Amino acid sequence: MTHAAPTDLGNAKDTGATTPAVELSGVSKRFGDVVAVDGVDLTIADGEFFSMLGPSGSGKTTVLRMVAGFEEPTSGRVLLGGEDVTGRPPYARDVNTVFQDYALFPHMDVLANVEYGLRVKKIAKKERRERALEALDTVRLSGYADRRPSQLSGGQRQRVALARALVNRPRVLLLDEPLGALDLKLRREMQIELKQIQRDVGITFCFVTHDQEEALTMSDRIAVFNEGQIQQVAAPAELYEHPATDFVAGFVGTSNLLKGEAARAVFGRDGHVSIRPEKIHMTAHGAAADEPPRASGTVSEVAYLGSVTHFGVDLDGGGHLTVLRQNLHGSADQALSQRGQRVDLGWADEHVITLTPTASDPGSADPAADGATTP
Ligand code: ATP
C-alpha cells in the first residue's frame, strides 16, 4: 500500500494551534418531548481524530448535526476555531460532512464529483482541477478520475466522498458512520486508511460511530454517549482500562460487572466492581499455580473464536465472569473447554476496577457504590 506524502490540505493546522477546533458549551437539543442531547460540554483539539461513540439514539448524530449547522441547539453554544457559530447556517461554517450514503452524483465522473464543491464556490478551472486531483491522490484514487460512481466498489465510493469533502480544506471534517455500508473486512481496511489519511492532511476529524472497535482503532480520543449525555471522554486505552461508569465498561468491551454480595465475595470490595476478561488467569481446579486462586467456579459456556476462546464461569461465591484466553497451545487448552469443568481464577489487584453506577441503571440505587472511582 502506498501512502500520499503530507499535503497542504490541512491548512487548518497552521492557524491557532492552541485554539480548540470545536467547543460545545452546555449544548442541549429537544425535539418536542424528546431530549436528544442533554447539556453536552466538549472540546476537540485542532488536528485531533475525535470519535463520538454510543448506542442508537444516544444523541451523537444530533451533536454532529449541530456542529455542522443542520440543527440549532435548544440551548448552549457551538464554537469553531474559537468563534461562536451557534446561529450560522452550514455553508457559513468551516466544516464539511461525509455521510454514510456518500451522496455522490451518479451522472458525473469521479473528478467532477470531487470538483463540485469548488465549482459552486466559483474557483477557477485550473485550480479546481489541481485541488481535485490532489484530493484524489490523498485518498489513493489517482487512476479513477474518469470513472462513474457505479463503476467503483463501496470502499472506493467512500473514498470519493472523502476526497469531495477534503478538497474544500475544511477546518473540521464531520463523518457520520461513513463506513457503515461496508462489509467487515473492507471496513477494517478503511479504518486504518482513514486514520492514515487524517494524519497526512492534519484536519480535525469528528467521527460518529456505534462500533466500539472502530472508535478504538482510529481515535485519539473518544466521547461515550448515553441518553443524550457524555459518560466519559478519554483516549482509547484509558477508556478501556479505566472505564468511569458501568455503561462505559459494558459498551466498550465486556464489563464483567459484579455488584453487592457477589462483589464482596469475589473482589472483597463494595459497589460495582469489574475486571476485563483477558486480565483473568484460568487454570484447572486444584492445579499447581504460583499464587493461590482468587475464586473458583464452573465453566458454563465456551465460545471458540479462532485466536481466542471466551469462557463463561459461574463463580462459587455467586455471580458470573467471562474469561478470555488466547489459543496459544491448541489442544493443551481443550481440557478447560468442557462445560462443567471446575476451574480456579486469578488476577492482579491493579486490574480490578470500581465503577460509578450509571444514573439510569436500576442497580445504581446501591448506596455502597456511591462515589466509587477507579483505583
Ligand atoms: P443512531 O446511531 O441510530 O444514528 P444517534 O446516537 O446518532 O443514533 P440521534 O440520531 O442523535 O442518535 O437521536 C437522538 C434522539 O433524538 C433519538 O431518540 C431520536 O429519535 C431523536 N431525534 C433525532 N432527530 C430527531 C428529529 N428530527 N425529530 C424528532 N426526534 C429526533
Side-chain angles (χ1 to χ4, degrees):
M1 195 166 33
T2 57
H3 300 301
T7 69
D8 70 349
L9 285 170
N11 59 350
K13 257 210 152 165
D14 301 336
T15 57
T18 53
T19 309
V22 180
E23 277 177 276
L24 302 182
S25 170
V27 168
S28 295
K29 179 69 186 177
R30 285 178 169 275
F31 295 104
D33 290 342
V34 178
V35 181
V37 177
D38 188 6
V40 163
D41 293 305
L42 191 60
T43 302
I44 303 177
D46 215 13
E48 194 171 26
F49 198 125
F50 190 90
S51 292
M52 300 198 275
L53 173 69
S56 184
S58 58
K60 51 203 191 297
T61 297
T62 303
V63 168
L64 198 83
R65 290 173 61 79
M66 288 192 283
V67 176
F70 298 125
E71 301 284 358
E72 242 191 85
T74 310
S75 58
R77 295 189 313 146
V78 178
L79 283 79
L80 290 175
E83 224 182 308
D84 192 333
V85 298
T86 312
R88 272 194 214 166
Y91 59 82
R93 300 182 183 207
D94 196 4
V95 300
N96 267 96
T97 309
V98 179
F99 298 101
Q100 189 186 104
D101 62 4
Y102 317 142
L104 300 178
F105 299 116
H107 58 287
M108 292 183 191
D109 65 20
V110 164
L111 189 65
N113 262 285
V114 176
E115 274 185 30
Y116 182 78
L118 301 179
R119 238 171 64 199
V120 171
K121 285 187 190 162
K122 309 239 183 310
I123 306 277
K125 188 169 176 181
K126 183 164 174 291
E127 185 186 344
R128 220 160 70 198
R129 186 121 311 180
E130 277 170 15
R131 281 171 61 175
L133 289 171
E134 184 189 14
L136 282 176
D137 188 39
T138 302
V139 301
R140 345 280 188 227
L141 279 183
S142 295
Y144 294 80
D146 299 336
R147 299 246 190 128
R148 292 284 170 95
S150 61
Q151 296 170 311
L152 300 174
S153 70
Q156 288 164 340
R157 278 202 286 270
Q158 200 281 335
R159 280 187 266 172
V160 175
L162 190 61
R164 204 173 52 167
L166 289 172
V167 80
N168 294 311
R169 301 176 181 172
R171 183 179 190 103
V172 180
L173 194 65
L174 307 172
L175 302 109
D176 191 1
E177 305 247 5
L179 309 182
L182 307 179
D183 67 51
L184 186 63
K185 186 164 180 294
L186 192 52
R187 210 178 154 118
R188 289 198 170 135
E189 284 168 16
M190 280 304 299
Q191 289 166 11
I192 307 287
E193 289 233 358
L194 253 188
K195 178 69 194 158
Q196 282 165 344
I197 290 168
Q198 191 267 342
R199 241 185 259 130
D200 288 347
V201 299
I203 292 175
T204 308
F205 275 32
C206 183
F207 190 95
V208 162
T209 182
H210 60 264
D211 179 339
Q212 48 122 347
E213 186 186 301
E214 191 159 288
L216 292 174
T217 304
M218 293 190 293
S219 317
D220 296 315
R221 286 189 310 148
I222 301 168
V224 180
F225 280 74
N226 183 36
E227 297 183 349
Q229 297 182 338
I230 293 180
Q231 294 264 314
Q232 187 174 8
V233 181
E238 174 70 13
L239 204 62
Y240 184 80
E241 301 283 341
H242 300 293
T245 65
D246 294 5
F247 179 82
V248 175
F251 198 74
V252 182
T254 303
S255 72
N256 266 345
L257 180 67
L258 297 183
K259 303 178 197 174
E261 211 31 66
R264 272 190 286 281
V266 174
F267 295 117
R269 292 190 194 184
D270 285 324
H272 290 205
V273 189
S274 167
I275 185 165
R276 294 298 191 185
E278 71 282 4
K279 302 291 197 294
I280 303 174
H281 318 290
M282 187 170 84
T283 49
H285 183 56
D290 295 343
E291 307 241 347
R294 300 296 192 101
S296 298
T298 305
V299 173
S300 59
E301 296 146 32
V302 180
Y304 175 78
L305 300 176
S307 59
V308 296
T309 299
H310 289 231
F311 297 85
V313 178
D314 291 334
L315 304 171
D316 295 349
H320 180 91
L321 288 177
T322 299
V323 180
L324 182 147
R325 278 168 67 94
Q326 267 193 296
N327 293 326
L328 296 173
H329 306 298
S331 58
D333 281 349
Q334 278 179 11
L336 292 174
S337 301
Q338 306 296 323
R339 291 176 64 231
Q341 166 78 36
R342 296 281 299 147
V343 289
D344 292 334
L345 307 181
W347 51 79
D349 278 336
E350 73 206 61
H351 294 135
V352 178
I353 312 160
T354 305
L355 300 163
T356 302
T358 303
S360 59
D361 173 8
S364 65
D366 179 1
D370 282 354
T373 53
T374 48

